């Protein structure tokens, strides 16, 4: 149900309909809380086009960080508990990457929070990781604030 509604809202936004009109059309026939969340979780077509050139480098950097973490996991050499625990971060990164590539508000928020938390891990204190984390922090925060400003959020 949620994916069908999400796909429907995404299709309507890609057609260029404003969020308020989508909210007015669907609020009587769908779960209002879920509809409100999904309408606010997606940007308009204009914002997608405007910020596409910033979204793609963000996704590429996240993919590079995921590759680095996978290489770190493979460096363990044996399949044990430590190996499986080291795969948690790449799996979460892939989930967030999917959200980022689909322009979901929650993806940018998750990436910002997880990037801040990653700064506290000693294995991320190498120059390359710190640089990539800084860029991810800036881009995810910037895109979150620009694509989903509070004044444009639909209120119930």
């Amino acid at each position: 149900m949620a994916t069908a509604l999400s796909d429907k809202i995404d299709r309507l936004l890609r057609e260029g309909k404003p969020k308020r009109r989508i909210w007015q059309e669907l609020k009587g026939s769908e779960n209002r809380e879920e509809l409100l969340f999904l309408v606010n979780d997606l940007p308009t077509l204009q914002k997608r086009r405007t910020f596409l050139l910033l979204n793609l480098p963000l996704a590429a950097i996240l993919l590079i960080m995921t590759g680095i973490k996978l290489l770190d996991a493979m460096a363990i050499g044996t399949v044990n508990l430590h190996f499986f625990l080291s795969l948690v971060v790449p799996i979460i990164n892939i989930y967030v990457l999917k959200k980022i590539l689909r322009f979901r508000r929650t993806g940018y928020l998750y990436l910002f929070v997880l990037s801040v938390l990653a700064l506290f891990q000693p294995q991320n204190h190498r120059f390359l990781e710190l640089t990539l984390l800084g860029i991810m922090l800036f881009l995810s925060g910037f895109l979150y604030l620009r694509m989903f400003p509070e004044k444009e959020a639909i209120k119930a």
Side-chain angles (χ1 to χ4, degrees):
M1 173 80 177
T3 58
L5 181 59
S6 178
D7 292 341
K8 183 186 230 181
I9 294 169
D10 193 28
R11 182 179 43 80
L12 291 171
L13 283 170
R14 286 177 189 253
E15 291 173 2
K17 287 192 178 183
K19 288 184 177 185
R20 293 235 180 256
R21 184 181 302 162
I22 294 170
W23 168 252
Q24 293 298 325
E25 285 179 14
L26 299 177
K27 73 178 179 180
S29 62
E30 303 291 342
N31 180 353
R32 291 174 68 99
E33 292 172 7
E34 182 180 5
L35 176 66
L36 184 63
F37 173 78
L38 291 172
V39 167
N40 287 327
D41 197 42
L42 292 165
T44 61
L45 181 63
Q46 177 189 4
K47 295 222 187 236
R48 285 182 192 215
R49 288 181 179 161
T50 302
F51 295 110
L52 177 65
L53 293 178
L54 287 176
N55 196 54
L56 292 176
L58 178 62
I61 291 170
L62 183 57
L63 192 60
I64 291 168
M65 287 294 287
T66 303
I68 290 171
K69 295 304 175 188
L70 279 172
L71 288 175
D72 288 346
M74 294 299 163
I76 293 172
T78 60
V79 179
N80 56 17
L81 181 62
H82 184 64
F83 171 75
F84 288 114
L85 288 176
S86 64
L87 289 177
V88 170
V89 172
I91 291 170
I92 292 171
N93 283 355
I94 291 169
Y95 172 76
V96 172
L97 180 63
K98 177 186 165 199
K99 292 270 191 189
I100 295 292
L101 288 174
R102 296 184 77 205
F103 291 96
R104 299 296 192 259
R105 178 179 57 96
T106 51
Y108 299 102
L109 185 60
Y110 292 160
L111 184 58
F112 184 81
V113 170
L114 291 172
S115 296
V116 168
L117 292 175
L119 289 173
F120 294 107
Q121 291 182 316
Q123 63 265 34
N124 291 329
H125 291 177
R126 294 178 286 199
F127 179 73
L128 177 63
E129 282 88 352
L130 277 175
T131 304
L132 293 176
L133 281 172
I135 294 169
M136 282 191 329
L137 268 168
F138 173 76
L139 284 177
S140 62
F142 178 79
L143 288 171
Y144 178 80
L145 292 174
R146 291 298 186 137
M147 288 191 352
F148 308 100
E150 190 65 33
K151 65 181 179 177
E152 292 180 10
I154 306 290
K155 306 281 192 259

